[in-house]
Amino acid sequence: MHIDQWIESVPPSSVYALIGLIIGLESLGIPLPGEIALITSALLAAQGVVNPWGVALCAIAGAIIGDSIGYAIGRRGGRPLFEKLGRRFPKHFGPDHLEAAERSFQKWGMWAVFFGRFVALLRIFAGPLAGTLRMPYWKFLIANVLGGVVWAGGTTLLVYQVGKVAEQYLKGASYIGLGAAVLFGAGSALVLKRRAGKSRARHPEQSGLPSGEPIRPMEQPVD
């Protein structure tokens, strides 16, 4: 079962805890599809299953707390921790991934933590790598909180609004489609009748009447 199906299958009251846990674990450094989980929860909110503000707050809390724990783990474990993870999970923590993340930190500094929220690779690395590189905690905390609020809260509300608009459009589209189908059917019938009339006028012999003899009302064929 995919994570989106899993979230949709749990009771609504459990969605809040689940989204906070998934995003928290991803931010801590465990490769989980946090973005998919967040979008799925926001779409459930658009359907009225859960509250969008509850989803946003739980997602923000999970992002900030998870990143902070990841920072502490990275500061304590250092580079040997990433080397060990790279051997066990080369697809997520391989040397190439670590090198790309380090380049981002060297270029952007504390803002790599902020922008890392919007990039799957850095979202996993941001907290632990900031701790490993001994980034001052106050700088990390500012970027962590801002990134968590903008990414988790902003994504939730954006997807929620888009979902509401799409739902209204689809409901309206059903009536529009029905009306269009009726009009199309009536128009098609009218066109066919006109073409049949023109065809009889051009070839009166096919109707069994002599040329030029008008069709009396009672003799008009039934379409």
Side-chain angles (χ1 to χ4, degrees):
M1 180 181 293
H2 296 289
I3 197 162
D4 54 341
Q5 297 173 332
W6 183 32
I7 292 175
E8 292 173 353
S9 67
V10 302
S13 58
S14 301
V15 172
Y16 304 108
L18 190 59
I19 188 64
L21 178 63
I22 292 172
I23 291 180
L25 291 175
E26 183 192 36
S27 301
L28 187 152
I30 298 176
L32 292 174
E35 198 164 47
I36 295 176
L38 182 59
I39 292 173
T40 301
S41 301
L43 288 175
L44 288 177
Q47 297 168 12
V49 178
V50 292
N51 185 284
W53 293 106
V55 171
L57 289 175
C58 290
I60 291 170
I64 294 173
I65 294 171
D67 242 14
S68 297
I69 295 174
Y71 175 91
I73 293 174
R75 194 172 181 88
R76 186 178 183 86
R79 186 170 293 277
L81 173 64
F82 282 98
E83 293 175 353
K84 183 177 180 180
L85 289 172
R87 289 192 296 270
R88 296 194 62 179
F89 306 102
K91 292 184 178 180
H92 299 286
F93 296 97
D96 294 340
H97 301 86
L98 180 59
E99 184 180 348
E102 284 184 332
R103 284 199 303 267
S104 299
F105 269 77
Q106 291 170 0
K107 182 176 181 179
W108 299 103
M110 62 179 285
W111 295 112
V113 177
F114 175 84
F115 291 114
R117 283 289 174 197
F118 303 90
V119 182
L121 172 65
L122 286 179
R123 196 158 54 242
I124 298 172
F125 275 106
L129 190 57
T132 300
L133 298 176
R134 295 295 194 269
M135 177 183 292
Y137 183 70
W138 68 269
K139 289 185 176 182
F140 168 79
L141 184 61
I142 291 174
N144 180 24
V145 172
L146 289 176
V149 170
V150 173
W151 175 73
T155 300
T156 300
L157 297 180
L158 177 62
V159 173
Y160 171 77
Q161 292 296 335
V162 171
K164 294 294 288 184
V165 171
E167 185 178 13
Q168 293 175 0
Y169 172 79
L170 290 174
K171 285 182 179 179
S174 62
Y175 296 108
I176 293 172
L178 178 60
V182 171
L183 291 175
F184 178 78
S188 299
L190 183 59
V191 170
L192 289 175
K193 285 183 178 181
R194 287 183 176 178
R195 288 185 176 179
K198 290 180 180 179
S199 177
R200 285 194 296 267
R202 287 195 302 266
H203 306 286
E205 68 280 0
Q206 294 182 0
S207 63
L209 298 171
S211 178
E213 182 177 340
I215 300 177
R216 293 190 297 273
M218 293 300 294
E219 297 176 345
Q220 186 172 3
V222 179
D223 292 332

